[in-house]
Amino acid sequence: MTLIDAGIFREWMVGLGRCSAFEQVAHLFCELYLKLQSAGVAGSCRCEFPLTQIDLAEALSLTDVHVNRVLKEMCGRSLVTLRGNMPVIEAWDELLQAAELTRRTCSLGSEQPQQRAVRCPFAYSPFELRQGVPTWRATSSSPTGSW
Amino acid sequence: MESHLVFSDGFLVAVLVRMSDIHGDRAGMWFLEAGFGPVDHPDPPTFANLDEAQSWVEWRLECKR
């Protein structure tokens, strides 16, 4: 395990235990986007994201009802828009601030995402990268579909 | 947001919240926002109406006695 792996692992533990639902979802969006961007399969603050609200809820130990509320709030504040399976981050800096990602590890600085080249493995997140698409690890038991 | 506190023998055991229009086809249903003691559940259910919710809460309290 590298220091980066350990940092990501710690962030997930802290997030599940101490962060609000809004912060957790914001963090997940930012983290996944950066990982996908570093893998060369995302850009312009948008990425393919074929996960349901139920998937997000299970990953973050929230209810799907509350995930829905959070997403609606994010859309209402114009932080994110949802276009089918593609969330578009409309306000990167604000979402990053909500996620409190700037103080975190993983070599994630505060510069714009397209300027960043980081190594962010999927090893300790509930998602893995399959053919450039984030996929819920427990696909056999977890329903997938559109937002 | 319409909601109800559910008491049993004077103790708060659940908070039920009516789902608003943002929840699409589930709008109007009741959601177990929080359950306490035997009513706590890792996958909180939704109910078509309050009678259904009350029956479920009673069942949880009964089977955990």
Side-chain angles (χ1 to χ4, degrees):
Chain A
M1 181 188 293
T2 67
L3 290 175
I4 293 175
D5 294 333
I8 294 173
F9 195 24
R10 281 197 302 274
E11 292 303 322
W12 273 89
M13 288 194 295
V14 171
L16 290 174
R18 302 300 300 169
C19 290
S20 70
F22 194 94
E23 290 167 347
Q24 286 187 68
V25 175
H27 186 278
L28 181 65
F29 278 166
C30 291
E31 181 182 323
L32 277 179
Y33 176 77
L34 289 172
K35 287 173 177 175
L36 291 169
Q37 189 199 38
S38 70
V41 293
S44 304
C45 286
R46 62 194 68 202
C47 55
E48 195 173 345
F49 198 73
L51 302 167
T52 65
Q53 293 183 13
I54 295 173
D55 293 326
L56 292 183
E58 287 197 26
L60 300 173
S61 199
L62 302 168
T63 65
D64 59 317
V65 171
H66 202 57
V67 166
N68 187 46
R69 291 176 186 141
V70 169
L71 292 175
K72 290 292 187 293
E73 184 182 349
M74 281 186 176
C75 292
R77 288 166 58 177
S78 299
L79 298 177
V80 171
T81 54
L82 303 174
R83 301 176 192 173
N85 283 340
M86 183 175 289
V88 178
I89 299 173
E90 304 285 359
W92 173 260
D93 289 339
E94 287 81 355
L95 196 67
L96 204 62
Q97 192 173 12
E100 295 191 24
L101 211 58
T102 50
R103 67 173 172 76
R104 299 189 181 219
T105 54
C106 193
S107 306
L108 305 178
S110 58
E111 68 270 32
Q112 289 298 308
Q114 60 267 27
Q115 299 168 344
R116 186 177 300 130
V118 293
R119 176 179 170 269
C120 287
F122 273 77
Y124 298 101
S125 109
F127 304 102
E128 60 187 340
L129 198 59
R130 290 185 191 165
Q131 297 178 331
V133 176
T135 306
W136 177 242
R137 287 187 189 279
T139 48
S140 59
S141 61
S142 176
T144 56
S146 66
W147 293 83
Chain B
M1 186 188 300
E2 188 179 355
S3 57
H4 284 287
L5 302 178
V6 183
F7 290 88
S8 174
D9 296 330
F11 292 97
L12 178 66
V13 294
V15 178
L16 296 168
V17 172
R18 193 170 197 185
M19 296 164 76
S20 64
D21 291 341
I22 67 167
H23 296 288
D25 56 4
R26 291 194 291 178
M29 296 181 73
W30 291 86
F31 173 61
L32 181 71
E33 189 73 42
F36 304 102
V39 185
D40 187 21
H41 197 283
D43 187 18
T46 55
F47 309 98
N49 52 56
L50 286 175
D51 287 340
E52 192 179 301
Q54 183 175 341
S55 298
W56 185 86
V57 169
E58 288 172 348
W59 168 72
R60 291 287 295 186
L61 291 169
E62 195 61 37
C63 71
K64 296 278 184 176
R65 275 188 211 281

